[in-house]
Amino acid sequence: EVQLVGSGGGLVQPGGSLRLSCGASGFTFSSFWMDWVRQAPGKGLEWVANINQDGSEKYYVDSVKGRFTISRDNAKNSLYLQMNSLRVEDSAVYYCSRELGTPWGQGTMVTVSS
Amino acid sequence: DIQMTQSPSSLSASVGDRVIINCRASQGIRNDVGWYQQKPGKAPKRLIYAASSLQSGVPSRFSGSGSGTEFTLTISSLQPEDFATYYCLQYNSYPRTFGQGTKVEIK
């Protein structure tokens, strides 16, 4: 079964850090771009970042540039999002996705609060 | 950044109705548009890609059209399982941007 499973979310104080992970199975992970998308409570979808197959190209939404880093480990079939200098407005469910197509992960909740 | 203006923000419809949702891009984006369905507490599901191509496994009552700046998602005969929120997405340029969403509710 083609599947993505996200993990790593939790409660963190403003200014803190968190690393999200997304494990892939059922497909050749190294052949696809991968994306992160987030959704604040009760709000719409916001694209966050993506990365190409070998990790040499990365793109970010302006609001996270310089604070978030997307990466991948093709040997471990895993995608990551390192989030530093977290702000209250970063609170959201974070989804990983294969090329914004199918599949998507189940989402992992990040809450930034003091 | 390319803005995707989606309308309406919500609508009420009955089972069997034809439903049309629109998205307007702030500049020409060829046909680089996808449409997504999201149910509460669930991840989005892509219905349409390249403006009019039906995602594998998606019922044929869903269709997409448009090119350039104007795009439409049509549900030809609304079914009970279609009550959800729908989003358009442009992937022509970075950053990728979603429309604000359209909540389809039961009339």
Side-chain angles (χ1 to χ4, degrees):
Chain A
E1 179 188 5
V2 176
Q3 191 175 2
L4 294 172
V5 179
S7 61
L11 174 63
V12 61
Q13 291 188 339
S17 298
L18 211 54
R19 188 198 198 204
L20 304 184
S21 299
C22 176
S25 59
F27 65 97
T28 306
F29 178 72
S30 60
S31 296
F32 293 89
W33 284 73
M34 296 295 296
D35 293 78
W36 287 101
V37 172
R38 68 184 178 182
Q39 186 170 37
K43 302 298 184 181
L45 300 169
E46 180 182 36
W47 176 83
V48 174
N50 71 358
I51 186 169
N52 73 338
Q53 290 88 339
D54 65 3
S56 61
E57 291 185 57
K58 304 174 184 182
Y59 298 91
Y60 300 90
V61 69
D62 280 352
S63 59
V64 308
K65 280 180 185 175
R67 300 189 300 121
F68 290 12
T69 302
I70 189 172
S71 64
R72 65 192 297 162
D73 185 336
N74 287 340
K76 295 183 177 180
N77 290 332
S78 292
L79 173 73
Y80 305 102
L81 187 68
Q82 177 67 43
M83 303 186 296
N84 298 331
S85 302
L86 281 161
R87 304 168 179 168
V88 170
E89 54 266 32
D90 294 319
S91 297
V93 175
Y94 285 74
Y95 297 100
C96 53
S97 165
R98 186 180 75 173
E99 297 186 344
L100 296 174
T102 183
W104 288 54
Q106 84 284 12
T108 185
M109 183 71 208
V110 172
T111 302
V112 185
S113 174
S114 55
Chain B
D1 297 3
I2 295 174
Q3 309 301 317
M4 298 296 285
T5 303
Q6 191 172 337
S7 62
S9 57
S10 66
L11 64 91
S12 295
S14 301
V15 172
D17 284 353
R18 181 182 184 88
V19 169
I20 296 174
I21 299 169
N22 299 292
C23 246
R24 172 175 292 171
S26 58
Q27 63 190 72
I29 55 172
R30 302 183 306 184
N31 68 337
D32 298 330
V33 165
W35 288 95
Y36 296 78
Q37 177 194 67
Q38 188 181 32
K39 296 182 179 179
K42 299 294 186 182
K45 172 187 174 183
R46 189 170 69 178
L47 305 172
I48 300 287
Y49 64 95
S52 60
S53 296
L54 191 67
Q55 183 76 32
S56 175
V58 173
S60 59
R61 63 181 180 274
F62 292 94
S63 64
S65 63
S67 183
T69 61
E70 301 286 342
F71 302 91
T72 298
L73 173 72
T74 300
I75 309 173
S76 59
S77 178
L78 198 66
Q79 298 301 301
E81 60 267 31
D82 300 337
F83 292 96
T85 301
Y86 295 83
Y87 296 91
C88 59
L89 163 80
Q90 70 79 20
Y91 50 89
N92 178 264
S93 65
Y94 288 104
R96 308 314 196 199
T97 46
F98 287 91
Q100 307 95 311
T102 296
K103 187 172 184 179
V104 177
E105 299 175 303
I106 301 172
K107 194 171 191 178

